[in-house]
């Protein structure tokens, strides 16, 4: 696996993945950035959220659970001193479905946290990570966002 990070200007960078995807990262204005993209440390948390979500959905689908949607909220505390590493990370799943088994969801979250999610296990070597979940009956509420482009 390989990625490339290229400086644009100021404190903005573009990250390019080996699979051909790009993402802009930028610093906060107080550090010379222009707030054009996610902060690099936010990217770490996004990677954790994506990695563990991938596992949980795959495990629930394999168990033939009627999952309709899933979101994960990742909150982190950082050290006050440099290097400002994550000291605590809380991973909270909201799993939506009709008749989901609490046992299956708990197992999926636990397996991801302790066995499959490389990001969780790697970050867990430096920070205390907790995982929990809420099961919500029915579909997820619609998220407001930009109108779809006309074709």
């Amino acid at each position: 696996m390989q990625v490339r990070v290229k400086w644009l200007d100021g404190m903005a960078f573009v990250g390019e993945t080996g699979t051909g995807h790009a993402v802009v990262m930028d610093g906060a204005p107080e550090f010379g950035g222009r707030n054009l993209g996610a902060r690099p440390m936010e990217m770490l948390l996004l990677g954790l959220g994506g990695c563990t979500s991938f596992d949980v959905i795959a495990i629930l689908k394999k168990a033939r659970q009627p999952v309709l949607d899933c979101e994960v909220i990742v909150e982190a505390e950082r050290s006050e001193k440099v290097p400002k590493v994550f000291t605590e990370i809380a991973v909270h799943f909201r799993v939506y479905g009709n008749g989901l088994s609490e046992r299956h969801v708990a197992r999926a979250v636990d397996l991801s946290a302790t066995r499959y999610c490389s990001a969780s296990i790697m970050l867990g070597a430096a920070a205390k990570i907790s995982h929990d979940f809420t099961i919500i009956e029915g579909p997820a509420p619609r998220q407001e966002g930009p109108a779809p482009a006309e074709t």
Side-chain angles (χ1 to χ4, degrees):
M1 182 179 300
Q2 183 181 38
V3 300
R4 177 177 175 256
V5 176
K6 173 91 172 84
W7 179 47
L8 297 174
D9 68 357
M11 293 306 291
F13 299 82
V14 64
E16 300 168 343
T17 69
T19 55
H21 302 281
V23 63
V24 174
M25 295 176 281
D26 197 7
E30 60 267 24
F31 298 112
R34 292 180 291 162
N35 201 29
L36 297 174
R39 309 292 185 268
M41 292 298 281
E42 290 175 324
M43 296 293 293
L44 285 173
L45 295 179
L46 286 172
L48 167 59
C51 184
T52 192
S53 293
F54 184 95
D55 294 337
V56 168
I57 289 296
I59 293 165
L60 290 174
K61 283 184 171 187
K62 188 172 183 179
R64 299 177 194 230
Q65 287 295 293
V67 63
L68 297 174
D69 206 345
C70 179
E71 63 182 340
V72 64
I73 307 300
V74 181
E75 296 182 270
E77 298 292 327
R78 292 178 70 183
S79 171
E80 292 292 323
K81 298 178 182 176
V82 174
K84 293 185 177 186
V85 298
F86 293 125
T87 56
E88 292 185 38
I89 302 171
V91 180
H92 179 73
F93 285 90
R94 293 181 186 145
V95 185
Y96 298 83
N98 294 317
L100 289 166
S101 160
E102 184 171 345
R103 181 178 62 86
H104 278 94
V105 174
R107 182 174 183 272
V109 170
D110 182 64
L111 283 172
S112 176
T114 61
R115 189 173 192 182
Y116 295 116
C117 179
S118 304
S120 183
I121 293 165
M122 191 167 40
L123 287 171
K128 179 184 173 194
I129 301 183
S130 63
H131 295 76
D132 66 3
F133 65 91
T134 302
I135 296 173
I136 302 167
E137 191 68 20
R142 286 187 47 113
Q143 300 291 318
E144 292 300 320
E150 291 186 25
T151 56

